[in-house]
Structures are given as structure tokens and as C-alpha cells.
Amino acid sequence: MYKVLALAGGVGGAKLVFGLSKILKPKELSTVVNTADDDIFHGLHVSPDVDTVMYALAGLTNKTTGWGIEGDTFLTLSALERLGEETWFQLGDLDLATHIKRTLMLNSGKSLSEATDSLAKSLGILHDVIPMSDDPVKTIAITETEELDFQDYFVRQKCEPIIRGVRFEGISKAKPTTEFINKISQSDAIIICPSNPIVSIPPILELPGIKELISKFPGKRIAISPIVGRQALKGPAAKMMKELNEDVSSIGVAKRYIGICDWFVIDKADTEEAEAIKKLGMKVHITSTIMNSDQEKINLAKEVLNLIKI
Ligand code: FO1
């Protein structure tokens, strides 16, 4: 069997990683996750995308939101609100345990990779989950009037401010994790998950040296579009692309992956975009990319894995 490295952000990426994990054995699948959305809430280090992927692999995901833990309660958050804390970022009681344990490990000198590995093992996850970097990288949304930390823009302000750009603070000094580099050299295929092409995948790709390694990668590189019918499957990707004057389509996403992608997977609804994407130097696979049920996640994972053999 072949070894696959998935690059993922939050909800969309986690869905495909779940599907892949139902087909590939633990040694055959590793996931490198965006950490530029990380932030500190109530003194705790929260890694939303890492947790979204971990909860998906552990079968714990809140099915309504795609993030957080199914059936979680928010008693601690209510108590914090009564004590005068800002509580716009919804941290559930069970979820808080993850952030407390992560913070304890980081405070005791463990790296984010070590803390993630330990949390994943405790949750019974067998497939590797690897943060993109152990160094701090922070996504900043540049709006018309101010610069906002990503979660402030995304959650508190519900992506309402118009953005003029994004930047990843600290990226030029951040090192990709050793595990990330090792997995690139050990893998037969790299899968760029259907995650936000403005804020989830770019921090991973823009870490020093990563784009170069992926552009020279000898195996198959496959990306899946998170845009279907000119709309994002989930989240603000389409709104962000529009505000940045990018083509809000699978073509627009493909343009971001020129030179680092051999196969680009689009939904049947976007069939007429295939020719334009081929002109960007990629082969195109057309299938159903919507992943509402577990079976749909597995089906898309199968389709993507079949491309490795072609
Ligand atoms: N997303 C929201 O829209 N609102 C929230 O209150 C929220 C809380 C939250 C807590 C833990 C966690 O792991 C994720 C959470 N998310 C929330 C999702 C998160 O903001 C985004 O999915 C990612 O940062 C973007 O990929």
C-alpha cells in the first residue's frame, strides 16, 4: 500500500481525513494541520483546526457544527460569562479538557507536536496528526479599517468586515515540524484537502521551504476544491475570495495551486470549469465532492485515492 500525506484546515479538511482514515491503515495516512488559527482563550492554548481533525478521527465531532464535541455542554463558559469574561468563542466543557491538557503540556516544555501526539493517543487516534509548525504563526485579517486576529474576524465578527488581504504573522521565522518534513519525503502522495484556500492551506504551504519541497515532490499531488457552484461548501472562503478580487470558482482555487498539484478534483456541478483548469497544467477529476454523510466522506476519499494509481 502507499503512504498518503493530507494537508488540512478545519471542517472540510477533517471530513475528508475522516473518509481517508476509514480506508487507509494508520501507517498509510498522516495529516498535517494548519495552526495559524490557534489562539489563547482564558489562558488556554486552543488549536481549532488540530482539534477539528482529531475529533473527526476519534469519532467525537459535533455533527451540526463540524467542530467541537458532539453533546458537549457550555456550563463553564456560562460561569465564566457571569465572572465577566468574554465568551464569544464557544468552548464546551469537554472541549475545555483538551485545551487545559494541551496548555499544561506546553507549559511543562513540550512542543505543540508532542502535545498533539499525546492528546491524539489519549483519544484513541491511530493515524498521525501533525501540527504544521511548533512555532507561533498567526493569521491576521486585514480589513478596510483595521487588522483583526483570525478568530476575532471569523467568530466574533462573523466574517462581516470586508477584507483587503490576509497575512500570516511569524511565518517567515516559523519552521515546519520535523515530522512534516519527514512525511513529505516518506509519502507517495500529497492530498490538499478541501479546506479554505485563503486562510487554511496557505499557512501550511508558505512555511519556509514547503512549497519548494512540494513542487519537487516525485509522487502524486491531488487537491480537492472546496468551492462548488461558485459557493463555499462551508465557511467564508467564497466571500473572502470575492473581496480579494479572486475568481470565486474552482478555477480560482486551482490558480492558487499551480505548480504544486497534478490532479484537481472538482464537483460535477463545476464540470464546465474543467477545461480552464486543465489549461493551468493539472488533470481534472470530476465527482461528487459534497460530504454530508460519513458514506459521502468515504466515497470521496476512495475517488481521490484511486487517482494515485493512475
Ligand atoms: N467556530 C465558530 O464559528 N464559533 C465558535 O464559537 C467556535 C468555537 C470553537 C471552539 C473550538 C474549536 O476547536 C473550534 C471552534 N470554532 C468555532 C471553529 C473555528 O473557529 C474554525 O473552524 C477554524 O478556526 C477555521 O478553520
Side-chain angles (χ1 to χ4, degrees), residues 3-16:
K3 290 190 176 170
V4 171
L5 174 61
L7 310 182
V11 178
K15 285 182 174 183
L16 183 62

Side-chain angles (χ1 to χ4, degrees), residues 4-308:
V4 171
L5 174 61
L7 310 182
V11 178
K15 285 182 174 183
L16 183 62
V17 169
F18 169 88
L20 292 166
S21 77
K22 295 293 165 202
I23 303 168
L24 298 170
K25 296 189 184 83
K27 281 201 165 58
E28 296 168 341
L29 171 68
S30 304
T31 307
V32 166
V33 189
N34 172 40
T35 56
D37 294 1
D38 288 19
D39 214 329
I40 307 288
F41 292 97
H42 319 295
L44 303 173
H45 186 117
V46 181
S47 286
D49 286 359
V50 169
D51 291 345
T52 301
V53 169
M54 283 200 309
Y55 294 157
L57 287 171
L60 292 172
T61 307
N62 177 320
K63 290 188 180 64
T64 312
T65 57
W67 50 265
I69 296 177
E70 183 71 27
D72 212 347
T73 49
F74 293 85
L75 296 171
T76 310
L77 211 68
S78 302
L80 282 167
E81 188 169 18
R82 201 168 51 207
L83 296 173
E85 277 285 300
E86 282 195 54
T87 54
W88 49 266
F89 198 71
Q90 294 289 300
L91 294 167
D93 298 318
L94 301 176
D95 190 26
L96 275 165
T98 304
H99 315 312
I100 292 170
K101 181 66 181 170
R102 174 185 295 112
T103 307
L104 288 170
M105 287 190 276
L106 293 175
N107 288 350
S108 76
K110 283 199 162 60
S111 66
L112 187 60
S113 309
E114 290 167 331
T116 304
D117 196 49
S118 167
L119 287 167
K121 289 206 166 79
S122 301
L123 294 175
I125 297 165
L126 302 172
H127 299 82
D128 283 342
V129 179
I130 303 163
M132 65 178 203
S133 177
D134 287 329
D135 301 321
V137 179
K138 217 169 165 24
T139 299
I140 306 284
I142 306 167
T143 77
E144 286 187 312
T145 50
E146 59 187 331
E147 293 203 344
L148 297 170
D149 289 352
F150 181 72
Q151 299 300 347
D152 189 352
Y153 161 76
F154 188 83
V155 176
R156 192 167 76 88
Q157 309 219 30
K158 300 182 178 65
C159 305
E160 278 161 11
I162 292 169
I163 58 158
R164 290 289 166 246
V166 291
R167 62 185 180 83
F168 307 117
E169 205 167 85
I171 196 124
S172 59
K173 290 203 189 103
K175 285 193 292 296
T177 47
T178 314
E179 269 296 87
F180 184 7
I181 302 286
N182 289 344
K183 292 292 179 187
I184 294 178
S185 60
Q186 293 159 5
S187 298
D188 303 301
I190 294 177
I191 296 175
I192 302 179
C193 289
S195 296
N196 187 309
I198 311 284
V199 286
S200 297
I201 299 297
I204 304 176
L205 298 176
E206 289 178 27
L207 284 165
I210 293 300
K211 253 199 192 139
E212 291 71 13
L213 283 177
I214 299 181
S215 61
K216 286 186 283 185
F217 181 73
K220 288 270 166 60
R221 301 159 304 176
I222 305 162
I224 301 93
S225 177
I227 300 283
V228 174
R230 302 196 162 259
Q231 292 189 347
L233 284 173
K234 176 118 175 56
K239 179 179 183 286
M240 296 179 104
M241 289 175 87
K242 184 164 175 257
E243 289 168 3
L244 295 177
N245 293 320
E246 295 193 24
D247 187 357
V248 186
S249 65
S250 291
I251 305 168
V253 180
K255 279 182 186 162
R256 285 189 155 250
Y257 299 148
I258 292 172
I260 55 164
C261 176
D262 306 302
W263 276 100
F264 196 74
V265 180
I266 61 172
D267 193 81
K268 285 175 193 146
D270 294 336
T271 303
E272 79 282 3
E273 295 182 22
E275 285 313 308
I277 296 169
K278 284 181 193 162
K279 288 195 182 116
L280 300 173
M282 302 166 194
K283 291 178 186 141
V284 176
H285 182 69
I286 303 170
T287 184
S288 178
T289 61
I290 292 167
M291 295 180 281
N292 287 330
S293 66
D294 286 355
Q295 193 54 52
E296 284 172 337
K297 295 170 198 171
I298 296 167
N299 290 349
L300 180 58
K302 270 188 200 151
E303 294 268 338
V304 169
L305 291 174
N306 280 340
L307 299 174
I308 300 173

